[in-house]
Amino acid sequence: MIKVTVPATTANVGPGFDCLGIALSLYNEIEVEEIEKGLLIEVEGRDQEKIEKNKNNLIYQSMLRVFDKIGKYPKGIKIKQYNNIPLARGLGSSAACIVGGIVAANKLMGNLLSQEEVLELAVEIEGHPDNVAPALLGGVVVSCQDEGKTSYVRFPVHEALRFIVAIPEVQLSTKASRGVLPEGVPFKDAVRNVGKSSLLVAALMSGELEKIPHALQDCLHQPYRTKLIDSLEAIFSKAKELDLNQLFLSGAGPSIIYLSWQQGGEKEKIFCNLVNTMPEQWNFKILEGDNKGTS
Ligand SMILES: Nc1ncnc2c1ncn2[C@@H]1O[C@H](COP(=O)(O)OP(=O)(O)OP(=O)(O)O)[C@@H](O)[C@H]1O
Ligand SMILES: N[C@@H](CCO)C(=O)O
């Protein structure tokens, strides 16, 4: 029996749209084993009632892509999922399935695919690298795709960083969230995002954490997406008044993350109290960065 553990991920991290992601200390576990015939899928944990337990299951579909690529197939497959990552909340649930399924299938069939081939297959299935790359590699990953090839740089998450994750009950699929993005943006917005995402990556890499608040603003996707969930616009504007400017939308949302590293956590409390004044039900998780990736 093969067991694989995959971290949640937060993509974009504000201005790094489709090119920046960080692995987090929240994990899904996947167990797979070859059986005599057929397909058995068991799911436990978060949102298990929403997950297909048939050939349409995303983990199974990802495993099939490996079998097709290497031209070898097991007689039958049993998959057991233990989910902690919520679905459609911007924490990389689908990316965790895709990477977990590919790594598990590769291990089951004798590790014939290299890590680069695993990554390229995961990017092909997900459609963008910024969740699957940190899910596979751990840490902070800056990635971009050119003619079907993914180039990336990975470095560890600073040990002082804490991710205060506010997760609403309401779901927002990435497909729907990408659907509200504009065809084009004003040149000044594009230039601002280039500067902010460059500064953010440099600050995360150098450990100059005090630069992060000046780097987390985004013009490319957050202004359009915060309109999708009633309280998001209110939270972001109130946060600005309260000088809580270490706040970003996690991936395509709707979860939001307050990035913290100062001791004492006074501002973390102010953030949580602000979110709790909103009408929806919000849950909170305090996470660290994950530097292991999928194992
Ligand atoms: N843990 C899971 N197990 C099986 N299938 C999953 C799981 N998570 C996601 N999926 C599949 O992927 C599809 C898209 O999932 P989801 O909407 O969570 O992903 P996403 O919106 O791309 O990512 P995020 O979770 O970061 O918001 C779901 O409809 C479901 O079919
Ligand atoms: N970069 C992707 C991340 C999805 O988790 C998006 O924002 O649509």
Side-chain angles (χ1 to χ4, degrees):
M1 191 258 291
I2 302 285
K3 183 173 175 180
V4 168
T5 302
V6 195
T9 49
T10 184
N12 306 325
V13 197
F17 183 74
D18 271 11
C19 66
L20 180 57
I22 303 177
L24 301 174
S25 59
L26 178 68
Y27 302 93
N28 280 356
E29 289 181 0
I30 301 167
E31 292 175 356
V32 300
E33 60 183 307
E34 182 166 10
I35 55 178
E36 275 314 301
K37 66 175 179 160
L39 172 61
L40 278 178
I41 299 178
E42 295 171 13
V43 184
E44 291 183 19
R46 188 73 195 263
D47 297 329
Q48 49 88 18
E49 72 286 353
K50 299 187 178 79
I51 290 164
E52 286 127 328
K53 299 167 185 68
N54 53 37
K55 285 189 182 305
N56 297 321
N57 178 281
L58 183 57
I59 293 177
Y60 176 69
Q61 286 297 317
S62 303
M63 295 182 77
L64 268 186
R65 294 290 297 273
V66 173
F67 305 147
D68 290 342
K69 191 172 178 70
I70 63 175
K72 279 173 71 179
Y73 296 84
K75 290 176 287 201
I77 280 283
K78 178 179 177 186
I79 299 170
K80 192 151 185 187
Q81 297 180 230
Y82 301 86
N83 290 341
N84 294 297
I85 305 169
L87 260 73
R89 297 321 200 290
L91 291 170
S93 180
S94 59
C97 288
I98 291 166
V99 168
I102 293 171
V103 169
N106 197 32
K107 280 185 175 179
L108 187 70
M109 304 309 276
N111 282 317
L112 300 177
L113 299 184
S114 67
Q115 186 176 74
E116 298 310 310
E117 288 172 314
V118 167
L119 179 60
E120 290 301 356
L121 186 53
V123 174
E124 196 184 310
I125 299 171
E126 171 92 330
H128 43 87
D130 50 335
N131 282 104
V132 291
L136 178 64
L137 304 167
V140 182
V141 184
V142 186
S143 57
C144 65
Q145 262 192 305
D146 270 325
E147 286 107 43
K149 171 127 181 56
T150 303
S151 305
Y152 67 88
V153 173
R154 179 225 177 262
F155 56 92
V157 189
H158 193 288
E159 60 184 6
L161 289 180
R162 288 154 50 98
F163 301 77
I164 317 304
V165 189
I167 307 167
E169 273 311 298
V170 64
Q171 295 194 359
L172 176 61
S173 79
T174 296
K175 187 164 182 267
S177 189
R178 286 178 89 90
V180 300
L181 300 181
E183 282 299 308
V185 293
F187 185 71
K188 67 177 174 51
D189 286 356
V191 169
R192 190 162 186 262
N193 257 63
V194 168
K196 295 287 183 179
S197 50
S198 304
L199 179 64
L200 177 60
V201 169
L204 288 169
M205 192 178 257
S206 67
E208 294 173 80
L209 304 181
E210 71 284 359
K211 305 281 173 62
I212 288 176
H214 310 288
L216 275 179
Q217 293 72 34
D218 164 72
C219 310
L220 296 186
H221 66 107
Q222 289 185 172
Y224 308 95
R225 288 171 155 170
T226 48
K227 295 181 176 17
L228 290 172
I229 307 285
D230 289 348
S231 302
L232 283 181
E233 271 191 314
I235 291 172
F236 273 89
S237 77
K238 194 73 186 149
K240 216 167 179 173
E241 289 170 30
L242 297 169
D243 195 27
L244 296 175
N245 41 23
Q246 289 146 224
L247 180 61
F248 59 90
L249 188 69
S250 183
S255 298
I256 49 179
I257 294 182
Y258 182 77
L259 189 53
S260 174
W261 56 88
Q262 293 95 345
Q263 295 311 322
E266 196 43 46
K267 287 207 168 178
E268 295 173 10
K269 290 193 195 84
I270 295 171
F271 167 66
C272 296
N273 292 339
L274 165 60
V275 173
N276 277 326
T277 61
M278 299 296 142
E280 300 93 353
Q281 169 70 35
W282 292 75
N283 295 303
F284 296 88
K285 284 190 183 300
I286 299 180
L287 303 177
E288 295 169 350
D290 165 274
N291 286 316
K292 293 190 311 296
T294 294
S295 55

